[in-house]
């Protein structure tokens, strides 16, 4: 089983749609969780951290379910500019700062 | 402006040649990381360093070497022992404190074999 698993997609949605991505992780002691966005042939950029209580940033909502070991990202009112690959990232236990990256979920928003 | 600078943006390697990828940061971050990304795959950790003059192997360190002589700099050498070096190489850094601190990335170097 992969340490961090995502459905690679692609998810093709029309503008204005609501889309949700899920990610599962295998290490129950994982400490921190993030969603990164990666545009084609570019570096990953932090989209948002994921907190235990769930958190929202504009059209984006992230949730963490520790009992089931999954993280979700909800995008409301999709824009064309949301088209990208979304990486689920988990920090493993310990103080090394090491992150485990999912392979990413590709979103394509169509006009 | 503060940030992480990787150079060169594109690099071509001949068979049997060692090449060095540069990574410099002026964010005063303690920890630095090197990743490799292959098409359709997630990032895989090559090496990381939490303080100057110290570094550890990541998951795929074979065929690579690093140094951390200065806080700002963490160069990666891809040696001739790395038989499949074609990939997108990403350098990242983060502050040393805070379990929830995310990593921030440079804009990457694309390495190809001639």
């Amino acid at each position: 089983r992969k340490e961090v698993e995502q459905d690679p997609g692609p998810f093709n949605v029309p503008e204005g749609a609501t889309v949700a991505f899920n990610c599962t992780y295998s290490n129950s002691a994982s400490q921190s969780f993030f969603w990164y966005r990666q545009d084609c042939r570019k570096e990953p950029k932090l989209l948002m951290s994921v907190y235990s209580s769930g958190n929202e940033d504009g059209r984006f909502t992230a949730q963490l379910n520790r009992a089931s070991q999954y993280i979700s990202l909800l995008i409301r009112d999709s824009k064309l500019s949301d088209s990208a690959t979304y990486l689920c990232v988990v920090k493993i236990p310990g103080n090394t700062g090491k992150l485990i990256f999912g392979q990413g979920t590709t979103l394509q928003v169509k006009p | 402006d503060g940030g992480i600078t990787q150079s060169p943006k594109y690099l071509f390697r001949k068979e049997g040649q060692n090449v060095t990828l540069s990574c410099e940061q002026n964010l005063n971050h303690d920890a630095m990381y090197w990743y490799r990304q292959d098409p359709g795959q997630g990032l895989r950790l090559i090496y990381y360093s939490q303080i100057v003059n110290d570094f550890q192997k990541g998951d795929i360190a074979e065929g690579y070497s690093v140094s951390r002589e200065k806080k700002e700099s963490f160069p990666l050498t891809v040696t001739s022992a790395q038989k499949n070096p074609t990939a997108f190489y990403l350098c990242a850094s983060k502050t040393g404190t805070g379990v929830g601190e995310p990593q921030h990335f440079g804009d990457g170097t694309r390495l190809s074999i001639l």
Side-chain angles (χ1 to χ4, degrees), chain B residues 70-89:
Chain B
K70 298 186 297 181
K71 188 175 185 178
E72 310 80 51
S73 178
F74 191 39
L76 174 75
T77 296
V78 185
T79 75
S80 56
Q82 173 47 248
K83 298 305 178 190
N84 185 22
T86 297
F88 187 36
Y89 289 86

Side-chain angles (χ1 to χ4, degrees), chain B residues 14-33:
Chain B
K14 294 180 182 178
E15 294 282 347
Q17 187 181 42
N18 292 354
V19 291
T20 297
L21 284 58
S22 169
C23 178
E24 304 277 332
Q25 54 97 1
N26 60 6
L27 301 166
N28 200 34
H29 283 173
D30 293 302
M32 297 184 74
Y33 305 82

Side-chain angles (χ1 to χ4, degrees), chain A residues 3 31-32 34 36 38 40-46 49 87 91 94-104, chain B residues 10 33 35 37 40-43 45 48 50 58-59 88 90 94 99-108 110:
Chain A
E3 291 182 87
Q31 297 174 304
S32 305
F34 309 95
Y36 279 76
Q38 187 174 26
C40 188
R41 301 180 69 81
K42 299 283 190 180
E43 77 275 22
K45 292 185 178 177
L46 179 67
S49 301
L87 304 175
K91 181 186 173 301
N95 62 356
T96 64
K98 287 176 66 175
L99 301 178
I100 306 297
F101 287 77
Q103 68 179 101
Chain B
Y10 300 95
Y33 305 82
Y35 295 91
Q37 187 175 34
Q41 295 192 34
L43 279 66
L45 183 65
Y48 65 101
Q50 293 182 276
D59 301 316
F88 187 36
L90 289 155
K94 68 182 283 290
V99 66
E101 284 294 323
Q103 293 178 16
H104 301 277
F105 287 85
D107 58 5
R110 291 196 179 274

